[in-house]
Amino acid sequence: MTKRNLSVSALSEGYLPTLSAPILLLLLTLTACDFSPVPPPSTPIPIPPATRTPVPLPTNTSIAQSPTPVPQFPTPTGKVVWQVRLDGGIASSPAIGAGLLYVATQGGPFYALDAATGQERWQATFDGEISGSFVISRSVLYAGATFLDTGARQGGVVAFDTQDGHELWRYTAGGENVTSPVLVGRLLIFGSDDDKVYAVDTRVAEERWTYDAGAPLDAPPIAADGIVYIGDATGTFHALDAANGNLLWKLDAGNRERILPLTYTTLTSAYAAGDTVYFANVLEGPVYAVDTARGSERWRFATTGLMTPVPTAEPGERDASIVSSPPVAAGDTVYIGISFGPLGIPVPDRIGYLYALDARTGRERWKVQAETQVVGRPIVQGNTIYYAANAGILHAAGTSTGADRWSFEADSPINAPLLLSESTLYFGTLGGEFYALR
């Protein structure tokens, strides 16, 4: 088995974790096995002497990161403002800039839509596959991509003109698949399945630095206060200096209590708030809160003890918890999606929950059951949290108890993060419908 087979679809932004066929086969084989528990290590690995140590941040410091905190606007009520049909399923979050929405479809064109009306401004095709979501800076649209025009799959990043979608430049990395990028100043930073993190200068489309993580990168990075955070496919979480790629610290968060002898144990995309960064291990948890300055663990929330019996389970099958959406922190609470069910069963048969955890202690505050797995990073606006279940149900719930204020049923499964801009929620479905709710 090669490293390139060990890939999970982008979680970053919060995509539904879909294991590759070889991994699914191995996990199904392991369901009947009984492995002795091995506690996961959580001691941070020392910082190399040549790298700098970040200054600890006050707990009330506001950090600009990707994704950025949502400004406060009037709360959407769930009414459809407009709805359009696009040519292809939508599995990535849209991006918005200067009144236009940019939406990529699976195997089809990508679009610029009028954010107010949904009217198509233009559509463009690309000789490859867009990986995850777009990043906008001024008049340029950036994306991770797999290029297919050379006869072999090659991963990298590409820049498009926002006026008509024509390609401006591309940079090819060493692997076949890459994560969504994050933009830090003029550097476009992304991970690849060739074990490297890349930083590309957007002015000249040239590499500025690389960092060898020692394992494939499959969860998109985030950036906060000049630090890039990214997890690899063995469960190691890395904190890098965004300016030069130097390692600041790394933490082994690989949960191998019940997954032995697998070394594959991917992490979600992270979320930084104040002096803490939050992330989770996709397969069987836990959820981690880690000090941003030293990489030391503040707390962990175990998910293996939360499992609920599933009626579809066959005798001898082993239940497993899967973290199905990346965390988001708002105020004194961390929200995250967790699902339960036998290893390898289809997504619609898994029981999904949205959990609210105390940001200081990691203790559970409440949980609510969704129709199926919660997908995409939840969005918090004031005292409302918005989240979607893979079954195609969008929920607006109160942050104090998780009780629904309203819900909306889409035409088909939702497998992409939501976008909240001012008072409008935008999202697409795997059936190709794109909605604007207000």
Side-chain angles (χ1 to χ4, degrees):
M1 183 180 295
T2 66
K3 290 176 181 175
R4 287 171 184 162
N5 287 329
L6 304 181
S7 131
V8 166
S9 63
L11 282 162
S12 17
E13 299 136 290
Y15 301 106
L16 182 70
T18 304
L19 302 179
S20 61
I23 297 303
L24 273 176
L25 181 61
L26 184 52
L27 288 176
L28 286 168
T29 304
L30 289 172
T31 58
C33 300
D34 182 19
F35 299 114
S36 300
V38 177
S42 61
T43 304
I45 298 172
I47 300 170
T51 63
R52 69 172 176 84
T53 301
V55 178
L57 298 171
T59 56
N60 62 350
T61 298
S62 176
I63 294 182
Q65 70 165 64
S66 179
T68 55
V70 178
Q72 299 304 304
F73 291 97
T75 303
T77 60
K79 294 179 61 176
V80 177
V81 180
W82 53 260
Q83 175 183 348
V84 296
R85 179 84 174 188
L86 303 182
D87 187 17
I90 301 163
S92 61
S93 173
I96 190 168
L100 292 181
L101 282 164
Y102 301 94
V103 187
T105 61
Q106 295 178 309
F110 59 97
Y111 296 81
L113 307 177
D114 187 294
T117 66
Q119 181 179 0
E120 181 183 315
R121 293 290 184 85
W122 54 256
Q123 63 172 276
T125 57
F126 171 62
D127 56 358
E129 301 169 354
I130 301 295
S131 303
S133 299
F134 289 118
V135 177
I136 299 177
S137 178
R138 297 182 182 177
S139 62
V140 183
L141 198 61
Y142 302 102
T146 298
F147 307 118
L148 306 175
D149 59 337
T150 60
R153 295 174 62 89
Q154 291 184 292
V157 285
V158 60
F160 302 105
D161 191 307
T162 58
Q163 298 303 307
D164 57 12
H166 78 268
E167 184 177 325
L168 299 173
W169 56 259
R170 65 174 60 183
Y171 171 86
T172 302
E176 293 183 2
N177 302 291
V178 299
T179 70
S180 294
V182 63
L183 189 63
V184 183
R186 294 190 176 96
L187 295 181
L188 200 62
I189 301 174
F190 62 97
S192 171
D193 62 1
D194 70 347
D195 301 0
K196 291 182 180 179
V197 180
Y198 291 82
V200 174
D201 190 320
T202 57
R203 296 169 298 182
V204 292
E206 293 179 356
E207 174 190 307
R208 283 292 170 256
W209 56 257
T210 63
Y211 166 78
D212 190 344
L217 287 308
D218 49 16
I222 66 161
D225 193 45
I227 302 175
V228 173
Y229 301 98
I230 190 168
D232 68 37
T234 64
T236 302
F237 189 71
H238 308 256
L240 311 176
D241 188 319
N244 52 34
N246 288 343
L247 176 67
L248 303 177
W249 51 262
K250 60 182 177 178
L251 181 71
D252 184 356
N255 180 12
R256 303 175 183 91
E257 294 177 12
R258 290 160 53 97
I259 303 296
L260 285 172
L262 290 179
T263 57
Y264 176 84
T265 173
T266 194
L267 304 179
T268 66
S269 181
Y271 192 91
D275 59 356
T276 306
V277 60
Y278 305 93
F279 62 93
N281 196 305
V282 173
L283 296 176
E284 310 241 85
V287 182
Y288 290 88
V290 174
D291 181 276
T292 57
R294 296 176 294 276
S296 56
E297 183 181 317
R298 294 187 185 277
W299 53 257
R300 69 170 69 179
F301 176 74
T303 66
T304 52
L306 304 173
M307 287 178 286
T308 305
V310 179
T312 55
E314 297 293 332
E317 285 187 310
R318 181 165 65 76
D319 280 351
S321 59
I322 290 181
V323 177
S324 58
S325 73
V328 62
D332 59 357
T333 306
V334 176
Y335 304 92
I336 193 164
I338 304 173
S339 69
F340 308 98
L343 284 171
I345 69 169
V347 166
D349 294 329
R350 298 190 68 85
I351 296 177
Y353 291 88
L354 178 70
Y355 277 81
L357 310 177
D358 188 303
R360 294 162 297 183
T361 65
R363 293 196 181 103
E364 179 185 324
R365 287 187 162 167
W366 52 257
K367 66 176 181 293
V368 290
Q369 184 173 344
E371 294 75 15
T372 53
Q373 288 191 142
V374 175
V375 293
R377 194 189 301 272
I379 295 176
V380 180
Q381 180 194 43
N383 59 2
T384 304
I385 181 167
Y386 304 95
Y387 67 97
N390 177 265
I393 311 296
L394 173 65
H395 295 267
T399 55
S400 58
T401 65
D404 267 4
R405 291 182 170 158
W406 54 263
S407 63
F408 175 83
E409 184 172 359
D411 71 297
S412 61
I414 300 171
N415 194 25
L418 312 172
L419 171 67
L420 177 60
S421 178
E422 298 184 354
S423 297
T424 306
L425 272 167
Y426 302 97
F427 65 97
T429 70
L430 289 181
E433 292 291 325
F434 193 85
Y435 297 87
L437 304 184
R438 188 174 301 156

